[in-house]
C-alpha cells in the first residue's frame, strides 16, 4: 500500500507538471499583420499622413486638417479609424466630399467611422479630414504647461505631446495601433518667437497670419504613438555624432544644463550604433526637457521628451544621484530608438519587448560606462513614492510573488488595459529575465541574436516569437522553450538546497509566493548557476523539479545564483547556510547583496523568521559599500514604516540605529576630498534613514546645517540637500514648514523644487500634513508632481489616513491632473501604506462606487498589499522583540 502510494503521487505530480508545461508552451506565432490583435479592420492601411495643426492658446483648442494616403487591400464600404475628443467637420475621399451624416464619432469606442457612398476599390486612395480638438491640462494628447522662466519671474506657457499608449488619436484622427506603420509629415502654426520640434528636422518655415508656419520633414514608416510635437520659447545646445545631429532642448535659460545629457547621449549613441549593427537611422536626435505635463520620459522617435529633472544637470547644485538618474533614463530611452521605434511590438500584449528590452539595454550600457554605480545592485531611490525599491529585479520579484501578478506577455483588449500594461512586470521582470538569458547564452551569442533580429525586422513589427527565433538561430538552443516559463506564466521559482546525510547535495524548485496560499504549482527551466565559494561557477539548465550537482565538498560553502544574475530565489538548508555565513568575507558584493535580498524575501514569505535576515546582516564584515549598505537601509526603512503606531517601534528604532551608526561614523557629515561619489550617496541615504529612525544627533545636525544653508546655500553640498531637507521637514514646526515652502515657491530648478516639496511631505504634525496636501490642488507644481505629492505624504508623514481623506474629498480635481498611464493606479496606490484589514474593505467599497472597472487589477494589488502588511506587521513585531531582547542580553 505505502509503496503504491509512493508510486502514484510522483506520477500524478509528473502528469500535472506535464499538463502545465504543455499549456505554457502553446506559444504565439511570429508577427503577421493580419493576425495581429486590435480593433481596427485590416483591409485599409494608411501609408502617408500630411497633417497641419493650428493651436489656439487663448482657448486651448486646435484646428487641424490632414490628408492620408490609403492602401486599400480589399474593397470596403466604410473607413474605420481612431479619434477621441476630436470633432471632425469635413471629410472627403479622393476629392469627393462626404455628407456630414456619413461621419460618425464614437467617443466610447474611440472610433471614427466614415460611411462611403459606394464601394472603395482595392488600390491607393486619399482621405482628407478637417477637425477641431483641445489642448489638455494633463499629459495626454496635446497638452500645455505653465512654468516660471529661468532667471525671471515671468510665467510662460508651452506645448507638448504624449501619445503612448493610445493618445495620438486625441491629436489627429489616425490608425492608432502600433502595427499600422506609416510616414507622418507634420506642419504647425506657432508664435513667431517659438521654437517648434518634432520627430524630423524642419524643412521650411514661413510667416503666416498669427505667427509662423513650420513644416517638418516626413518620418520613416513608424507607429502613430511615436509622433511628437513640442513648442515654446526654447533654447538648445548641439553636437554631432557621425551623420547624426544631437541636441538638448530646454526652456530659455536652461539649455546649458543639458551639457551632461548631451555628452552622455553622444557616448550612448556610439555604443548602440555599434551594438545593434544598424546605425541610428534619422538625421537628428533631440533630447527635450519639458517642465511638467508628465513625470517620466517618452521615446518619440528622434524627439525624446523628458520631465526636466531627469535630463538637466547643474554641476554646482545637482546630486550624484540625479546624474545617475539622467544617464540611466537617457540610455533607456535611446535604446528604444531601435527597440520600440525601428522595430516595434505588434500589439500591446508584447509591450515587454519594448520596455523589458530597453530597461535591460539601458542598464547594460550604463553599467558599461559607469561600473562604479553598481547599476544592477544599488537601491536608487525610486521617484515614484509608491515603489518600495529601485532595484529592478527586486521590484519585479516583489510583485511577481503575489497572487495579483500576471505573465510578462498578457492579453490586452482595451485601451485602458494597454495603459495598465506599463508596470513592474513588463519593465523589470522583462529586464531581469533578459539579463539571466544573456548570461546563460553568453554575451556574444546573445548579441549575435540581436543583430539578426534587427536586420530581419527593421521598419517592421514583431512578436516575442521573432526575438526567440533570432536568439535560437544564434545560439542553437531552443530559447522559446526556456523562455516560455518566464514570459508566458506568472511568478518565478525558489530553488531549495539540501545537503543529504551522505554529503550529496540536492536542488529542488517550487513556486515562490508571498501572501498567496494554494498558488497553482508551476515549473520553470531555470538557467541555474552555482559555485563552491572561491571556485569557478557552473551553469546547469534545471528542467525538472529536482537536480543533483556532482562533486560538492561537504565542508565547503556553496553559493547559488552567482552574482545574483538569475531571476529566482534560493533557500538553503541549515548546514548550507552556516557554511555560507562563515564564508561571508570571501563573497563578492553581488553575492552578499543577493544573499541579503533572498533572506529578506524568505522572511516576507513566512518561510523564515526575521532572525535569518538580521543574523546575516549582523555578521557582514564592516564596509561602506553602497549596494550592500543600501540593501539593509531599505529593509530597516520598510520595517520602521510598518511599525508606525506599534509598541515595538521605539525599541526597533534603537536597534536599527545601532546597526547604521558605525557606517555613518566612518563616513562622517562632511564629504572628504577625493572620496568616491558612492560615499556621498551612502552618506545621504544614512542621514535620511537615521533621521527617520529618530536619531537625535542626525536631527540636530540637519537643523544646524539647514540654518546655515538659509544664510549661504553653497554651504550644503548637493548630495546632502535632499536628506537634510527631508529630516528638517519631518520634525518641522509651522515656521520651518513655511520657510521650506517659500524656498520651493521661489526656485526655478526642478530638482531643488522637488527636494523642498518632498521635505514638506515628510512633516508629521497633522496640521502641517493638511497644509502640504492642499498644495496638490494649486498650480504650484507641474500636474504629475502635484498628484505624486499626495502619495508622498501618505508614505512619508506616517499619516496615510489623512492623505486618503484628502484624496477622497478632491478625487475629481486630482484625477484631472493624472496622465493616462497613471489614471488606473492613482486611487488604489494611496492605500498601499495602510496595514489595517478594514482598509482593504474600504478600498473595495470605494472602488465599486467611484472608480471605473479598469482600476480593478490595481485595486486587487492594493488590497493584497494591505493584507500582507497587516499579517506581516503582527509577525514582525513579535519576532523583532525576541531578537532584540536576546541581543541586548548578549
Ligand atoms: Zn521605455
Amino acid at each position: 500500500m505505502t509503496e503504491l502510494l509512493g508510486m502514484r503521487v510522483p506520477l500524478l505530480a509528473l502528469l500535472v507538471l506535464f499538463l502545465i508545461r504543455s499549456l505554457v508552451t502553446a506559444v504565439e506565432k511570429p508577427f503577421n499583420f493580419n493576425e495581429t490583435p486590435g480593433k481596427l479592420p485590416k483591409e485599409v492601411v494608411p501609408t502617408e499622413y500630411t497633417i497641419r495643426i493650428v493651436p489656439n492658446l487663448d482657448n486651448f483648442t486646435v484646428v487641424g486638417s490632414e490628408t492620408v494616403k490609403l492602401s486599400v487591400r480589399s474593397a470596403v464600404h466604410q473607413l474605420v479609424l481612431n479619434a477621441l475628443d476630436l470633432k471632425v467637420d469635413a471629410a472627403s475621399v479622393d476629392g469627393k466630399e462626404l455628407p456630414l451624416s456619413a461621419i460618425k464619432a464614437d467617443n466610447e469606442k474611440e472610433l471614427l467611422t466614415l460611411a462611403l457612398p459606394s464601394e472603395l476599390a482595392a488600390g491607393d486612395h486619399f482621405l482628407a479630414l478637417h477637425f477641431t480638438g483641445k489642448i489638455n491640462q494633463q499629459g495626454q494628447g496635446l497638452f500645455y504647461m505653465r512654468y516660471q522662466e529661468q532667471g525671471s519671474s515671468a510665467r510662460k506657457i508651452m506645448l507638448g505631446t504624449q501619445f503612448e499608449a493610445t493618445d495620438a488619436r486625441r491629436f489627429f484622427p489616425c490608425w492608432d495601433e502600433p502595427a499600422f506603420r506609416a510616414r507622418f509629415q507634420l506642419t504647425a502654426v506657432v508664435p513667431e518667437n517659438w521654437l517648434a520640434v518634432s520627430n524630423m528636422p524642419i524643412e521650411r518655415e514661413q510667416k503666416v497670419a498669427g505667427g509662423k508656419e513650420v513644416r517638418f520633414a516626413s518620418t520613416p514608416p513608424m507607429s502613430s504613438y511615436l509622433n511628437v510635437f513640442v513648442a515654446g520659447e526654447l533654447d538648445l545646445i548641439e553636437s554631432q555624432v557621425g551623420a547624426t545631429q544631437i541636441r538638448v532642448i530646454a526652456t530659455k535659460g536652461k539649455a546649458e544644463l543639458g551639457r551632461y545629457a548631451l555628452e552622455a547621449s553622444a557616448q550612448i549613441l556610439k555604443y548602440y550604433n555599434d551594438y545593434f549593427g544598424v546605425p541610428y537611422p534619422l538625421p537628428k536626435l533631440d533630447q527635450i526637457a519639458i517642465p511638467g505635463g508628465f513625470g517620466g520620459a517618452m521615446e518619440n522617435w528622434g524627439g525624446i521628451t523628458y520631465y526636466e529633472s531627469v535630463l538637466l544637470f547643474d554641476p554646482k547644485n545637482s546630486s550624484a544621484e540625479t546624474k545617475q538618474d539622467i544617464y540611466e533614463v537617457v540610455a533607456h530611452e535611446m535604446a528604444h530608438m531601435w527597440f520600440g521605434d525601428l522595430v516595434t511590438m505588434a500589439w500591446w500584449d508584447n509591450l515587454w519587448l519594448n520596455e523589458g528590452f530597453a530597461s535591460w539595454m539601458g542598464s547594460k550600457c550604463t553599467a558599461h560606462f559607469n561600473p562604479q554605480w553598481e547599476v544592477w545592485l544599488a537601491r536608487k531611490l525610486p521617484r515614484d513614492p509608491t515603489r518600495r525599491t529601485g532595484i529592478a529585479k527586486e521590484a519585479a520579484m516583489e510583485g511577481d510573488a503575489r497572487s495579483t501578478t500576471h505573465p510578462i506577455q498578457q492579453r490586452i483588449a482595451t485601451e485602458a488595459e494597454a495603459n495598465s500594461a506599463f508596470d513592474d512586470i513588463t519593465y523589470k521582470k522583462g529586464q531581469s529575465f533578459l539579463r539571466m538569458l544573456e548570461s546563460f547564452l553568453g554575451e556574444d551569442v546573445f548579441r549575435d541574436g540581436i543583430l539578426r533580429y534587427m536586420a530581419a525586422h527593421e521598419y517592421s513589427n514583431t512578436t516575442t516569437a521573432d526575438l526567440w527565433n533570432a536568439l535560437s538561430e544564434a545560439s542553437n538552443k531552443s530559447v522559446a522553450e526556456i523562455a516560455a516559463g518566464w514570459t508566458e506564466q506568472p511568478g518565478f521559482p525558489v530553488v531549495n538546497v539540501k545537503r543529504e546525510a551522505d554529503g550529496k547535495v540536492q536542488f529542488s524548485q517550487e513556486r515562490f509566493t508571498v501572501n498567496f496560499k494554494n498558488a497553482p504549482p508551476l515549473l520553470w527551466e531555470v538557467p541555474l548557476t552555482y559555485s563552491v565559494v572561491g571556485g569557478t561557477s557552473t551553469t546547469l539548465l534545471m528542467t525538472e523539479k529536482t537536480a543533483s550537482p556532482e562533486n560538492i565538498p561537504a565542508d565547503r560553502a556553496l553559493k547559488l545564483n552567482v552574482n545574483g544574475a538569475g531571476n529566482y530565489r534560493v533557500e538553503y538548508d541549515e548546514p548550507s547556510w552556516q557554511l555560507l555565513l562563515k564564508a561571508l568575507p570571501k563573497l563578492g558584493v553581488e553575492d552578499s547583496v543577493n544573499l541579503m535580498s533572498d533572506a529578506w524575501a524568505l522572511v516576507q514569505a513566512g518561510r523564515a523568521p526575521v532572525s535569518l535576515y538580521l543574523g546575516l546582516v549582523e555578521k557582514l564584515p564592516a564596509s561602506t559599500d553602497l549596494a550592500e549598505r543600501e540593501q539593509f537601509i531599505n529593509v530597516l526603512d520598510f520595517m520602521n514604516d510598518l511599525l508606525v503606531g506599534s509598541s515595538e517601534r521605539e525599541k526597533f528604532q534603537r536597534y536599527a540605529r545601532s546597526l547604521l551608526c558605525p557606517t555613518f561614523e566612518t563616513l562622517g557629515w562632511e564629504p572628504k576630498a577625493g572620496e568616491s561619489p558612492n560615499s556621498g550617496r551612502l552618506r545621504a541615504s544614512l542621514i535620511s534613514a537615521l533621521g527617520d529612525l529618530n536619531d537625535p544627533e542626525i536631527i540636530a545636525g540637519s537643523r544646524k546645517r539647514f540654518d546655515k544653508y538659509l544664510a549661504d546655500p553653497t554651504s550644503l553640498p548637493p548630495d546632502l540637500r535632499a536628506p537634510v531637507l527631508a529630516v528638517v521637514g519631518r520634525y518641522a514646526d509651522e515656521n520651518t514648514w513655511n520657510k521650506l515652502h517659500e524656498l520651493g515657491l521661489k526656485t526655478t530648478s526642478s530638482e531643488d523644487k522637488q527636494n523642498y516639496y518632498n521635505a514638506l511631505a515628510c512633516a508629521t504634525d497633522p496640521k502641517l500634513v493638511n497644509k502640504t496636501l492642499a498644495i496638490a490642488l494649486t498650480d504650484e507644481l507641474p500636474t504629475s508632481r502635484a498628484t505624486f505629492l499626495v502619495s508622498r505624504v501618505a508614505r512619508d508623514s506616517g499619516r496615510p489616513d489623512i492623505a486618503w481623506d484628502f484624496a477622497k474629498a478632491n478625487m475629481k480635481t486630482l484625477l484631472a491632473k493624472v496622465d493616462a498611464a497613471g489614471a488606473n493606479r492613482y486611487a488604489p496606490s494611496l492605500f498601499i501604506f495602510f496595514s489595517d484589514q478594514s482598509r482593504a474593505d474600504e478600498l473595495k467599497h470605494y472602488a465599486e462606487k467611484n472608480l471605473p472597472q479598469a482600476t480593478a487589477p490595481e485595486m486587487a494589488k492594493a488590497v493584497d498589499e494591505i493584507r500582507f502588511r497587516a499579517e506581516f506587521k503582527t509577525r514582525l513585531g513579535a519576532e523583532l522583540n525576541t531578537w532584540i531582547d536576546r541581543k541586548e542580553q548578549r
Side-chain angles (χ1 to χ4, degrees):
M1 187 72 180
T2 45
E3 258 185 41
L4 245 181
L5 206 68
M7 288 277 290
R8 281 170 62 183
V9 171
L11 269 177
L12 190 68
L14 275 176
L15 187 69
V16 168
L17 288 172
F18 173 78
L19 281 173
I20 290 166
R21 200 180 287 172
S22 27
L23 271 176
V24 160
T25 43
V27 284
E28 67 174 349
K29 295 184 191 130
F31 171 62
N32 174 322
F33 179 76
N34 288 331
E35 287 168 23
T36 298
K39 259 188 217 166
L40 300 176
K42 304 277 197 301
E43 285 86 7
V44 177
V45 180
T47 55
E48 286 174 44
Y49 291 77
T50 309
I51 307 148
R52 185 176 188 275
I53 59 145
V54 186
N56 182 335
L57 294 165
D58 297 325
N59 59 8
F60 297 119
T61 57
V62 190
V63 175
S65 56
E66 69 179 4
T67 305
V68 191
K69 185 174 176 189
L70 304 175
S71 163
V72 175
R73 304 163 79 214
S74 61
V76 289
H77 287 97
Q78 59 175 19
L79 297 174
V80 184
L81 59 157
N82 294 110
L84 180 59
D85 285 344
L86 296 177
K87 190 174 176 335
V88 177
D89 48 26
S92 67
V93 175
D94 296 330
K96 278 179 225 117
E97 188 94 6
L98 301 180
L100 277 180
S101 61
I103 308 170
K104 277 218 176 68
D106 183 339
N107 247 5
E108 188 114 317
K109 294 202 173 101
E110 309 188 3
L111 293 177
L112 177 71
T113 306
L114 305 170
L116 303 172
S118 57
E119 189 179 85
L120 194 64
D124 286 354
H125 297 275
F126 288 89
L127 166 69
L129 296 172
H130 188 269
F131 53 93
T132 53
K134 60 182 186 187
I135 308 177
N136 297 301
Q137 179 198 8
Q138 73 270 50
Q140 54 183 24
L142 178 66
F143 61 92
Y144 66 89
M145 290 155 277
R146 294 188 194 281
Y147 64 97
Q148 193 181 331
E149 194 169 78
Q150 179 90 326
S152 87
S153 56
R155 291 280 280 173
K156 300 276 179 171
I157 192 164
M158 65 175 285
L159 296 175
T161 56
Q162 169 59 33
F163 295 153
E164 193 180 22
T166 58
D167 284 327
R169 64 191 66 169
R170 291 176 190 269
F171 191 51
F172 58 99
C174 56
W175 278 256
D176 197 13
E177 292 178 0
F180 287 89
R181 296 180 90 93
R183 297 177 184 278
F184 296 86
Q185 189 277 307
L186 178 69
T187 301
V189 175
V190 296
E192 245 193 295
N193 63 334
W194 279 25
L195 175 68
V197 190
S198 185
N199 306 82
M200 296 293 282
I202 292 173
E203 213 172 54
R204 196 180 67 211
E205 255 188 43
Q206 63 183 45
K207 266 191 166 181
V208 293
K212 62 180 177 186
E213 186 187 81
V214 184
R215 183 191 157 96
F216 299 97
S218 183
T219 69
M222 67 177 197
S223 303
S224 51
Y225 76 90
L226 293 170
N227 278 285
V228 65
F229 172 67
V230 178
E233 291 180 43
L234 309 173
D235 271 349
L236 60 87
I237 54 173
E238 60 185 297
S239 78
Q240 189 83 20
V241 172
T244 313
Q245 179 196 40
I246 56 172
R247 309 190 292 184
V248 173
I249 299 172
T251 57
K252 258 217 167 81
K254 286 190 171 175
E256 194 48 47
L257 300 176
R259 187 63 57 188
Y260 174 66
L262 190 69
E263 282 160 11
S265 47
Q267 186 177 55
I268 296 165
L269 186 59
K270 284 181 213 152
Y271 180 85
Y272 288 163
N273 277 340
D274 179 55
Y275 189 91
F276 290 116
V278 181
Y280 175 74
L282 307 190
K284 63 102 177 167
L285 174 54
D286 291 332
Q287 322 281 341
I288 311 164
I290 60 175
F294 70 155
M298 174 64 212
E299 69 267 23
N300 318 296
W301 214 2
I304 307 173
T305 45
Y306 299 83
Y307 179 56
E308 64 178 21
S309 74
V310 284
L311 193 67
L312 303 183
F313 180 78
D314 179 350
K316 282 205 195 80
N317 294 304
S318 293
S319 67
E321 189 142 335
T322 296
K323 192 173 195 172
Q324 180 178 341
D325 257 5
I326 293 169
Y327 201 102
E328 286 194 68
V329 177
V330 171
H332 174 107
E333 298 308 325
M334 283 179 60
H336 276 310
M337 298 298 104
W338 287 262
F339 248 87
D341 298 1
L342 183 61
V343 182
T344 313
M345 84 256 129
W347 179 244
W348 302 106
D349 54 355
N350 273 305
L351 177 65
W352 92 277
L353 268 182
N354 276 9
E355 296 304 345
F357 194 92
S359 300
W360 168 77
M361 188 81 237
S363 297
K364 182 182 170 75
C365 170
T366 305
H368 176 81
F369 289 111
N370 311 278
Q372 76 284 4
W373 285 344
E374 303 184 299
V375 172
W376 298 108
L377 297 178
R379 170 171 66 157
K380 211 164 81 65
L381 208 82
R383 275 185 300 278
D384 178 344
T386 63
R387 308 280 158 105
R388 226 189 279 168
T389 170
I391 305 163
K393 191 181 97 175
E394 292 303 318
M397 287 172 112
E398 279 193 349
D400 204 18
R402 305 297 185 87
S403 62
T404 48
T405 189
H406 61 81
I408 287 182
Q409 290 177 263
Q410 55 177 338
R411 237 177 255 285
I412 301 285
T414 65
E415 284 77 6
E417 284 174 10
N419 280 311
S420 288
F422 293 79
D423 65 2
D424 280 350
I425 298 294
T426 301
Y427 281 72
K428 294 171 179 167
K429 187 182 181 184
Q431 158 175 5
S432 185
F433 172 64
L434 287 171
R435 183 174 176 227
M436 177 165 74
L437 189 62
E438 185 203 26
S439 89
F440 175 64
L441 298 179
E443 235 178 314
D444 293 339
V445 172
F446 190 87
R447 184 183 163 223
D448 182 32
I450 299 300
L451 287 173
R452 289 163 192 258
Y453 175 83
M454 279 295 150
H457 304 289
E458 56 176 358
Y459 301 104
S460 181
N461 294 65
T462 52
T463 68
T464 298
D466 292 303
L467 180 61
W468 299 155
N469 287 346
L471 288 168
S472 296
E473 276 172 33
S475 66
N476 289 318
K477 291 194 167 86
S478 44
V479 174
E481 213 177 290
I482 300 168
W486 301 92
T487 67
E488 294 173 23
Q489 63 182 14
F492 60 90
V494 52
V495 177
N496 298 288
V497 179
K498 203 162 175 256
R499 299 211 181 220
E500 312 281 358
D502 58 3
K504 283 234 165 71
V505 176
Q506 178 89 356
F507 298 155
S508 64
Q509 60 158 310
E510 63 182 300
R511 185 172 182 181
F512 181 82
T513 58
V514 172
N515 197 34
F516 185 9
K517 286 200 188 88
N518 307 319
L522 295 170
L523 194 66
W524 287 262
E525 296 204 1
V526 188
L528 192 70
T529 54
Y530 62 89
S531 76
V532 172
V533 172
T536 52
S537 100
T538 307
T539 303
L540 166 91
L541 186 65
M542 186 174 179
T543 55
E544 304 297 331
K545 189 159 171 53
T546 59
S548 313
E550 300 288 328
N551 305 323
I552 310 290
D555 57 345
R556 298 278 301 278
L558 177 68
K559 169 75 180 51
L560 272 70
N561 197 358
V562 177
N563 295 334
N567 191 79
Y568 51 89
R569 302 280 181 205
V570 182
E571 183 173 29
Y572 298 90
D573 66 356
E574 188 59 21
S576 306
W577 185 248
Q578 289 307 328
L579 286 169
L580 269 170
L581 286 182
K582 283 197 201 104
L584 273 183
K586 285 186 230 149
L587 288 185
V589 58
E590 288 95 342
D591 283 319
S592 58
V593 170
N594 177 239
L595 279 187
M596 293 159 80
S597 308
D598 279 1
W600 173 234
L602 295 171
V603 175
Q604 294 185 63
R607 299 175 76 114
V610 77
S611 55
L612 179 87
Y613 176 78
L614 293 173
L616 168 64
V617 167
E618 288 186 14
K619 281 210 167 57
L620 286 175
S623 128
T624 53
D625 177 83
L626 179 69
E628 195 181 276
R629 300 291 125 171
E630 285 206 329
Q631 201 286 334
F632 71 82
I633 290 174
N634 206 12
V635 171
L636 296 177
D637 213 43
F638 176 74
M639 291 183 185
N640 189 39
D641 286 350
L642 194 62
L643 295 175
V644 170
S646 81
S647 57
E648 292 92 359
R649 195 170 189 228
E650 214 183 299
K651 193 199 261 182
F652 163 76
Q653 291 189 335
R654 202 168 56 230
Y655 167 74
R657 291 197 299 266
S658 77
L659 287 180
L660 299 181
C661 278
T663 315
F664 185 70
E665 275 153 23
T666 309
L667 289 171
W669 274 97
E670 304 306 325
K672 299 182 182 69
E675 72 175 15
S676 82
N678 283 1
S679 300
R681 285 176 53 190
L682 181 55
R683 179 181 294 113
S685 291
L686 285 163
I687 292 171
S688 58
L690 284 164
D692 286 358
L693 291 165
N694 219 349
D695 187 288
E697 199 247 326
I698 293 288
I699 298 169
S702 296
R703 285 181 169 150
K704 199 176 85 190
R705 281 164 180 81
F706 178 61
D707 287 338
K708 248 173 117 180
Y709 172 76
L710 289 175
D712 172 16
T714 61
S715 65
L716 193 57
D719 282 343
L720 293 196
R721 288 186 194 169
V724 164
L725 293 172
V727 175
V728 168
R730 172 167 303 277
Y731 302 98
D733 56 14
E734 185 149 13
N735 188 22
T736 309
W737 191 99
N738 288 337
K739 271 185 211 155
L740 285 165
H741 187 213
E742 235 167 77
L743 289 165
L745 278 171
K746 236 175 30 201
T747 183
T748 53
S749 151
S750 291
E751 186 179 349
D752 284 346
K753 203 181 249 310
Q754 202 57 55
N755 288 339
Y756 294 128
Y757 284 88
N758 286 350
L760 296 177
C762 291
T764 54
D765 175 346
K767 194 174 149 209
L768 300 178
V769 172
N770 277 308
K771 273 180 78 156
T772 310
L773 289 167
I775 296 171
L777 304 176
T778 69
D779 62 357
E780 283 176 34
L781 288 171
T783 49
S784 64
R785 301 291 114 172
T787 51
F788 263 178
L789 186 66
V790 183
S791 322
R792 277 260 175 197
V793 171
R795 185 187 66 181
D796 294 340
S797 69
R799 296 303 302 267
D801 52 331
I802 304 182
W804 172 242
D805 285 343
F806 170 83
K808 206 163 43 176
N810 300 288
M811 190 57 79
K812 222 178 138 198
T813 320
L814 292 170
L815 283 179
K817 296 185 176 199
V818 180
D819 60 22
N824 295 336
R825 287 187 63 211
Y826 189 66
S829 76
L830 291 170
F831 273 84
I832 66 171
F833 309 107
F834 287 121
S835 52
D836 180 349
Q837 291 277 15
S838 66
R839 293 288 185 174
D841 301 326
E842 185 185 342
L843 172 58
K844 277 200 197 153
H845 291 310
Y846 180 82
E848 274 162 25
K849 278 208 184 117
N850 301 286
L851 299 176
Q853 179 57 28
T855 57
E858 292 301 325
M859 191 200 66
K861 279 186 209 167
V863 166
D864 175 64
E865 180 67 17
I866 300 167
R867 293 197 171 134
F868 162 69
R869 285 186 189 226
E871 182 276 325
F872 195 34
K873 185 177 186 163
T874 318
R875 176 156 55 93
L876 188 67
E879 289 180 6
L880 277 172
N881 231 348
T882 317
W883 176 257
I884 298 169
D885 282 349
R886 242 188 250 157
K887 185 181 158 83
E888 284 174 350
Q889 282 157 20
R890 266 179 272 161

